[in-house]
């Protein structure tokens, strides 16, 4: 079958099962956009290339399938670098196609030329500069294989214009779709691990049965490995408590008796302290991030470590494991469960963990997540808004978040009962992530209700993508917690810079979020008093033919607690001032 390079590219994307891609055309990628008209692939025309990247991430988060984005060369390509870095940090499968100037012009500083493979080398799992139209099918197969196997991640494919331009003889090609064997043979150095070492799994089982204060430390790798069911079996078999990191929220149900919730800088007291006092941490798909460990030298000083991860580079990178296990988390957990069952059937027992469980219950009782209710005339408490929202939506609602205080409150006060219902930027901490990620998630899961929780600072970075959502009939819902500040920065300036608020004030009224939302084709709602919260959420939930933006005017004085300050150990966790004495509890709490 004869075709040109542009047709081959679109055909290859179709063969890989691509149903939707997010993009913005421009000069160098223009020839590829012509065959898009004849393709089964739905193309979502974004308003900025960063939006395309985050939409692809949101789609991948929600579906488990790789997100696909396509942009042009030069600024189009550099605008998508942030999403690539974000996907790299959070191990999100993504394939990004970038246009490039014709091969003869590469290196001449041609119009809209940039070395995007050089630029993205450090923020992609792999990247390609295609030099022949004949290579396109194999490169696309390689890109999807690399993005979705082993530790998932973004792969970039840079394609010079002349090999996809039908008016250029260099674009002429046949069609040869590589087999799986040919793809694997073409990547001779790439052999992602699958099963774990049986001897290591037996040593892990031995440590688990001997531990008096074990904790399952669960990271986002559990979700990437589709291991939520296996994790639940392991936890229930061993009756070991589970903490779920920011990237693993939903991997284990928050409503389960064994769930302790989120650890880390803004984790709840019990999750943080149980890890700190543990004698065995079973780290599954987690990477000992600095936001979880606090000061590494003081982290969980009495704990032995079992560390299972698909990426061998993570084993020992931050904390030396007593038992490292390299492989797929789901397969490792299944083997671990089998090993534990064999030992228990043979009469193995565990130490009395009653004192440990009592200690945990004591922490939960004394230091629940809590906030002081608003006084008469106060602005809205953001936690209260999130509780109303949480209690007003279906249990399987997908929640996307930006980055900052609202992100931490959302993770703290939501109840994630299902995997793949929480989408946020964990490693890179990308402000502006929420709105486009929510749009991508809704495209991937149109059957689910999708809410984005955003701060006013984040919203102003990528809100223009609501024009995309309106034009494409993608009915996401956005809750802006508008405190008129860059809230988390304000909190740090208050706590660590003697209340010297430098360049963090944004204004509550500029812009007018309701008018802005309406101008983008959305329904806009403003909420300023507690009695308006529920009617506004109910109204938003009833609208399903266009996006909705609800602006909640929240109290800028509110801070996120608990908190482990940067550079300190988890022993120095700060609870809200009203809990610092004798555990006074107010408001509705979480774990």
């Amino acid at each position: 079958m004869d075709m040109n390079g542009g047709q081959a590219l679109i055909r290859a994307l179709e063969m890989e099962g691509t149903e939707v891609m997010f993009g913005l055309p421009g000069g160098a990628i223009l020839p590829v956009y012509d065959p898009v008209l004849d393709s089964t692939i739905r193309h979502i025309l974004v308003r900025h290339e960063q939006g395309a990247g985050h939409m692809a991430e949101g789609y991948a988060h929600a579906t488990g399938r790789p997100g696909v984005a396509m942009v042009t060369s030069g600024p189009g390509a550099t605008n998508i670098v942030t999403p690539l870095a974000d996907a790299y940090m959070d191990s999100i499968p993504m394939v990004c196609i970038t246009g490039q100037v014709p091969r003869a012009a590469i290196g001449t500083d041609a119009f809209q030329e940039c070395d995007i493979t050089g630029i993205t080398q450090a923020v992609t799992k792999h990247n390609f500069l295609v030099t022949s139209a004949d290579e396109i099918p194999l490169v696309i197969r390689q890109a999807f294989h690399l993005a979705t196997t082993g530790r998932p991640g973004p792969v970039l494919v840079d394609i010079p214009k002349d090999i996809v331009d039908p008016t250029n003889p260099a674009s002429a090609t046949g069609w040869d779709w590589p087999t799986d064997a040919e793809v694997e043979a073409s990547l001779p150095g790439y052999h992602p691990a699958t099963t774990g070492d049986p001897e290591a799994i037996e040593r892990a089982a031995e440590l688990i049965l001997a531990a008096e204060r074990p904790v399952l430390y669960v990271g986002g790798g559990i979700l990437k490995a589709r291991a939520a069911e296996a994790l639940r079996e392991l936890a229930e078999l061993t009756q070991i408590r589970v903490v779920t990191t920011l990237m693993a929220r939903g991997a284990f149900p928050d409503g389960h008796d064994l769930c302790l919730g989120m650890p880390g800088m803004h984790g709840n007291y019990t999750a943080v302290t149980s890890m700190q006092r543990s004698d065995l941490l079973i780290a599954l798909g987690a990477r000992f991030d600095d936001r979880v460990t606090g000061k590494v030298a003081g982290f969980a000083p009495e704990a032995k470590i079992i560390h299972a991860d698909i990426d061998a580079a993570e084993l020992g990178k931050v904390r030396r494991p007593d038992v490292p296990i390299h492989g797929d988390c789901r397969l490792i957990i299944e083997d671990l469960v089998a090993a534990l069952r064999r030992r228990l059937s043979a009469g193995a027992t565990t130490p009395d963990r009653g004192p440990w469980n009592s200690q945990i219950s004591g922490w939960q009782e004394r230091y629940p997540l809590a906030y002081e209710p608003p006084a008469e005339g106060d602005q809205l408490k953001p936690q209260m808004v999130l509780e109303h929202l949480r209690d007003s939506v279906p249990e399987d609602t997908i929640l996307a978040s930006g980055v900052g205080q609202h992100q931490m409150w959302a993770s703290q006060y939501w109840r994630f009962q299902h995997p793949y219902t929480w989408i946020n930027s964990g490693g890179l901490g990308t402000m502006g992530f929420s709105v486009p990620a929510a749009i991508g998630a809704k495209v991937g899961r149109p059957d689910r209700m999708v809410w984005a929780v955003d701060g006013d600072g984040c919203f102003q970075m990528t809100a223009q993508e609501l024009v995309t959502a309106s034009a494409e009939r993608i009915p996401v819902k956005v809750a802006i917690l508008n405190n008129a500040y860059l809230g988390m920065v304000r909190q740090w300036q208050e706590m660590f810079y003697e209340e010297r608020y430098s360049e963090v004030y944004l204004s509550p009224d500029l812009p007018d979020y309701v008018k802005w939302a309406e101008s983008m084709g959305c329904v806009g709602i403003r909420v300023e008093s507690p009695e308006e919260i529920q009617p506004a959420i109910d109204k938003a939930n009833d609208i399903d033919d266009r996006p909705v933006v609800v602006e909640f005017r929240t109290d800028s004085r509110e801070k996120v607690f608990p908190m482990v300050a940067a550079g300190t150990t988890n022993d120095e966790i700060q609870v809200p001032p009203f809990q610092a004495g004798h555990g006074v509890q107010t408001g509705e709490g979480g774990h």
Side-chain angles (χ1 to χ4, degrees), residues 432-484:
F433 177 83
S434 176
V435 168
I439 293 169
K442 184 65 176 176
V443 170
R445 293 303 305 261
D447 55 320
R448 297 279 190 85
M449 181 178 284
V450 177
W451 272 90
V453 172
D454 226 354
D456 46 320
C458 280
F459 185 79
Q460 293 187 49
M461 291 189 174
T462 53
Q464 80 280 349
E465 297 306 341
L466 286 171
V467 178
T468 303
S470 293
E472 296 280 347
R473 301 288 182 189
I474 305 167
V476 294
K477 308 175 197 305
V478 182
I480 306 173
L481 302 183
N482 176 15
N483 65 0

XYZ file of all heavy atoms in Angstrom, residues 432-484:
386
model
N -1.804 25.036 37.162
C -2.500 25.063 35.885
C -2.827 23.687 35.347
O -3.395 23.563 34.258
N -2.514 22.672 36.098
C -2.723 21.293 35.638
C -4.197 20.915 35.596
O -4.651 20.159 34.733
C -1.973 20.355 36.589
C -2.133 18.884 36.311
C -1.358 18.246 35.357
C -3.068 18.132 37.013
C -1.503 16.888 35.110
C -3.222 16.776 36.784
C -2.441 16.156 35.821
N -4.967 21.436 36.532
C -6.283 20.890 36.834
C -7.291 20.966 35.691
O -7.889 19.947 35.319
C -6.850 21.622 38.058
O -8.144 21.197 38.344
N -7.506 22.148 35.145
C -8.575 22.303 34.148
C -8.325 21.430 32.918
O -9.191 20.633 32.525
C -8.763 23.784 33.775
C -9.660 23.924 32.549
C -9.368 24.550 34.952
N -7.154 21.527 32.260
C -6.962 20.653 31.094
C -6.943 19.168 31.452
O -7.437 18.343 30.680
C -5.617 21.117 30.512
C -4.949 21.880 31.610
C -6.027 22.477 32.422
N -6.391 18.803 32.613
C -6.378 17.384 32.998
C -7.796 16.868 33.179
O -8.119 15.736 32.799
C -5.570 17.195 34.271
N -8.658 17.691 33.771
C -10.053 17.283 33.946
C -10.737 17.096 32.597
O -11.526 16.159 32.410
C -10.798 18.326 34.780
N -10.431 17.972 31.655
C -11.013 17.842 30.313
C -10.571 16.526 29.676
O -11.385 15.775 29.111
C -10.615 19.053 29.443
C -11.260 20.331 29.989
C -11.016 18.829 27.983
C -10.730 21.609 29.358
N -9.281 16.221 29.779
C -8.780 14.955 29.234
C -9.428 13.755 29.891
O -9.768 12.769 29.233
N -9.620 13.845 31.212
C -10.256 12.734 31.933
C -11.697 12.540 31.486
O -12.162 11.410 31.315
C -10.203 12.998 33.433
N -12.411 13.635 31.275
C -13.812 13.535 30.853
C -13.924 12.973 29.443
O -14.857 12.225 29.132
C -14.468 14.921 30.946
C -15.958 14.940 30.625
C -16.785 14.155 31.639
C -18.281 14.259 31.352
N -19.084 13.424 32.269
N -12.959 13.322 28.586
C -12.946 12.746 27.242
C -12.752 11.231 27.325
O -13.417 10.456 26.625
C -11.830 13.392 26.387
C -11.652 12.639 25.070
C -12.159 14.852 26.110
N -11.855 10.809 28.216
C -11.588 9.380 28.366
C -12.687 8.623 29.080
O -12.911 7.446 28.815
N -13.336 9.296 30.037
C -14.416 8.653 30.804
C -15.667 9.521 30.764
O -16.043 10.140 31.773
C -13.964 8.415 32.256
C -12.851 7.405 32.437
C -13.191 6.032 31.852
N -14.433 5.469 32.350
C -14.510 4.567 33.321
N -13.401 4.128 33.900
N -15.680 4.084 33.713
N -16.333 9.581 29.603
C -17.535 10.424 29.508
C -18.677 9.942 30.391
O -19.618 10.693 30.645
C -17.900 10.333 28.016
C -17.267 9.067 27.535
C -16.021 8.919 28.331
N -18.584 8.686 30.866
C -19.628 8.134 31.732
C -19.502 8.604 33.171
O -20.417 8.409 33.975
C -19.552 6.601 31.712
C -18.154 6.092 32.102
O -17.150 6.696 31.668
O -18.083 5.106 32.858
N -18.399 9.220 33.526
C -18.154 9.646 34.902
C -18.368 11.155 35.061
O -18.115 11.933 34.150
C -16.708 9.333 35.298
C -16.356 7.859 35.310
C -16.825 7.203 36.591
N -16.291 5.846 36.709
C -15.087 5.559 37.210
N -14.322 6.531 37.658
N -14.677 4.314 37.279
N -18.812 11.545 36.260
C -18.797 12.963 36.600
C -17.346 13.366 36.879
O -16.621 12.632 37.546
C -19.668 13.234 37.833
C -19.718 14.706 38.227
S -20.793 15.030 39.645
C -22.419 14.901 38.882
N -16.928 14.498 36.340
C -15.555 14.968 36.534
C -15.580 16.389 37.093
O -16.135 17.301 36.468
C -14.749 14.942 35.216
C -13.346 15.501 35.446
C -14.666 13.523 34.660
N -14.996 16.551 38.263
C -14.818 17.869 38.874
C -13.332 18.214 38.889
O -12.482 17.349 39.121
C -15.317 17.864 40.325
C -16.776 18.191 40.481
C -17.823 17.321 40.482
C -17.340 19.506 40.694
N -19.005 17.996 40.673
C -18.748 19.333 40.808
C -16.811 20.786 40.790
C -19.619 20.408 41.014
C -17.674 21.858 40.992
C -19.065 21.670 41.097
N -13.035 19.474 38.654
C -11.696 20.007 38.882
C -11.765 20.935 40.083
O -12.667 21.768 40.170
C -11.203 20.776 37.661
N -10.847 20.758 41.020
C -10.714 21.703 42.134
C -9.471 22.532 41.861
O -8.383 21.975 41.643
C -10.593 20.964 43.475
C -10.249 21.944 44.587
C -11.883 20.235 43.797
N -9.634 23.831 41.841
C -8.528 24.694 41.453
C -8.421 25.869 42.405
O -9.403 26.271 43.039
C -8.755 25.227 40.030
C -7.505 25.118 39.180
O -6.450 24.749 39.724
O -7.585 25.399 37.968
N -7.232 26.413 42.491
C -7.054 27.677 43.178
C -7.191 28.813 42.172
O -7.132 28.597 40.956
N -7.366 30.025 42.668
C -7.505 31.145 41.737
C -6.207 31.391 40.974
O -6.233 31.771 39.797
C -7.983 32.412 42.451
C -7.244 32.685 43.754
O -6.980 31.723 44.495
O -6.956 33.857 44.044
N -5.068 31.143 41.608
C -3.795 31.299 40.913
C -3.634 30.275 39.808
O -3.260 30.609 38.672
N -3.921 29.027 40.104
C -3.831 27.957 39.102
C -4.792 28.199 37.951
O -4.439 28.044 36.779
C -4.145 26.607 39.741
S -2.788 25.860 40.664
N -6.023 28.578 38.296
C -7.059 28.723 37.278
C -6.648 29.723 36.214
O -6.904 29.537 35.022
C -8.376 29.144 37.945
C -9.551 29.212 37.013
C -10.218 28.059 36.630
C -9.996 30.435 36.524
C -11.309 28.118 35.762
C -11.091 30.499 35.661
C -11.750 29.341 35.283
N -5.988 30.797 36.646
C -5.625 31.844 35.692
C -4.548 31.398 34.707
O -4.303 32.070 33.709
C -5.159 33.095 36.444
C -6.278 33.769 37.229
C -5.860 35.097 37.829
O -5.292 35.941 37.141
N -6.136 35.292 39.105
N -3.896 30.267 34.988
C -2.820 29.816 34.101
C -3.325 29.072 32.867
O -2.715 29.156 31.801
C -1.846 28.931 34.877
C -1.034 29.697 35.901
S 0.279 28.681 36.603
C 1.131 29.909 37.605
N -4.396 28.303 33.000
C -4.838 27.467 31.869
C -6.345 27.512 31.639
O -6.895 26.650 30.963
C -4.424 25.998 32.091
O -4.906 25.584 33.377
C -2.923 25.815 32.018
N -7.019 28.503 32.225
C -8.489 28.550 32.127
C -8.985 28.622 30.693
O -10.119 28.209 30.405
C -9.012 29.743 32.927
N -8.149 29.120 29.783
C -8.618 29.253 28.394
C -9.030 27.930 27.798
O -9.769 27.894 26.803
C -7.538 29.928 27.536
C -6.414 29.033 27.059
C -5.366 28.791 28.129
O -5.382 29.450 29.151
N -4.456 27.877 27.883
N -8.588 26.825 28.388
C -8.994 25.529 27.840
C -10.472 25.230 28.082
O -11.011 24.271 27.514
C -8.109 24.408 28.397
C -6.643 24.519 28.016
C -6.404 24.636 26.506
O -7.308 24.290 25.722
O -5.311 25.108 26.122
N -11.126 26.034 28.902
C -12.581 25.871 29.020
C -13.275 26.279 27.722
O -14.396 25.843 27.454
C -13.114 26.672 30.213
C -12.794 26.041 31.572
C -13.159 26.980 32.711
C -13.525 24.708 31.726
N -12.636 27.120 26.922
C -13.151 27.391 25.576
C -13.141 26.086 24.773
O -14.098 25.749 24.060
C -12.311 28.468 24.874
C -12.829 28.707 23.456
C -12.305 29.763 25.677
N -12.040 25.347 24.889
C -11.968 24.037 24.240
C -13.101 23.141 24.706
O -13.785 22.493 23.902
C -10.613 23.368 24.563
O -9.555 24.221 24.159
C -10.485 22.023 23.884
N -13.301 23.092 26.027
C -14.334 22.214 26.585
C -15.721 22.621 26.086
O -16.536 21.755 25.748
C -14.277 22.247 28.107
N -15.993 23.910 26.031
C -17.298 24.361 25.553
C -17.487 24.011 24.078
O -18.538 23.506 23.675
C -17.444 25.871 25.750
O -17.486 26.206 27.119
N -16.466 24.286 23.274
C -16.577 24.028 21.837
C -16.738 22.547 21.541
O -17.434 22.164 20.594
C -15.343 24.578 21.127
N -16.094 21.702 22.344
C -16.124 20.259 22.113
C -17.209 19.555 22.914
O -17.280 18.330 22.918
C -14.753 19.655 22.472
C -13.605 20.135 21.606
C -13.543 19.420 20.257
O -14.234 18.406 20.105
O -12.804 19.902 19.377
N -18.035 20.326 23.637
C -19.115 19.742 24.445
C -18.576 18.730 25.446
O -18.990 17.579 25.498
C -20.160 19.071 23.539
C -20.800 20.019 22.541
C -21.739 20.981 23.224
N -22.413 21.883 22.258
C -23.143 22.932 22.609
N -23.298 23.223 23.874
N -23.711 23.695 21.709
N -17.631 19.186 26.233
C -17.034 18.349 27.280
C -17.446 18.957 28.621
O -16.847 19.927 29.094
C -15.492 18.307 27.138
C -15.089 17.838 25.739
C -14.886 17.386 28.209
C -13.632 18.052 25.418
N -18.472 18.407 29.271
C -19.074 19.082 30.426
C -18.357 18.828 31.752
O -18.888 18.162 32.638
C -20.496 18.516 30.437
C -20.357 17.144 29.875
C -19.240 17.207 28.865
N -17.168 19.380 31.896
C -16.474 19.288 33.188
C -17.024 20.359 34.126
O -17.675 21.319 33.699
C -14.958 19.490 33.028
C -14.344 18.363 32.225
C -14.643 20.831 32.383
N -16.758 20.168 35.393
C -17.188 21.126 36.412
C -15.946 21.579 37.174
O -15.083 20.772 37.500
C -18.190 20.473 37.351
C -19.355 19.804 36.603
C -20.272 19.069 37.531
C -21.164 18.083 36.765
N -21.937 18.685 35.674
N -15.865 22.863 37.431
C -14.683 23.438 38.069
C -15.090 24.169 39.338
O -15.995 25.019 39.305
C -13.946 24.417 37.129
C -12.681 24.951 37.811
C -13.612 23.752 35.803
N -14.436 23.831 40.441
C -14.622 24.564 41.700
C -13.366 25.382 41.956
O -12.282 24.821 42.160
C -14.864 23.589 42.850
N -13.497 26.692 41.914
C -12.354 27.566 42.227
C -12.439 27.940 43.699
O -13.449 28.503 44.145
C -12.374 28.854 41.382
C -12.449 28.545 39.892
C -11.126 29.696 41.685
C -12.642 29.793 39.030
N -11.401 27.615 44.459
C -11.313 28.089 45.843
C -10.549 29.404 45.784
O -9.320 29.434 45.798
C -10.602 27.049 46.718
C -11.249 25.655 46.748
C -10.498 24.742 47.719
C -12.718 25.734 47.124
N -11.297 30.485 45.686
C -10.720 31.811 45.460
C -10.447 32.499 46.799
O -11.356 33.033 47.428
C -11.680 32.648 44.615
C -11.176 34.079 44.412
O -9.994 34.368 44.668
N -12.056 34.959 43.976
N -9.183 32.461 47.205
C -8.798 33.184 48.426
C -7.982 34.436 48.109
O -7.396 35.045 49.004
C -8.038 32.268 49.391
C -6.702 31.819 48.830
O -6.320 32.175 47.722
N -5.979 31.014 49.602
N -7.923 34.767 46.819
C -7.264 36.000 46.358
C -5.751 35.990 46.559
O -5.116 37.043 46.489
C -7.872 37.236 47.030
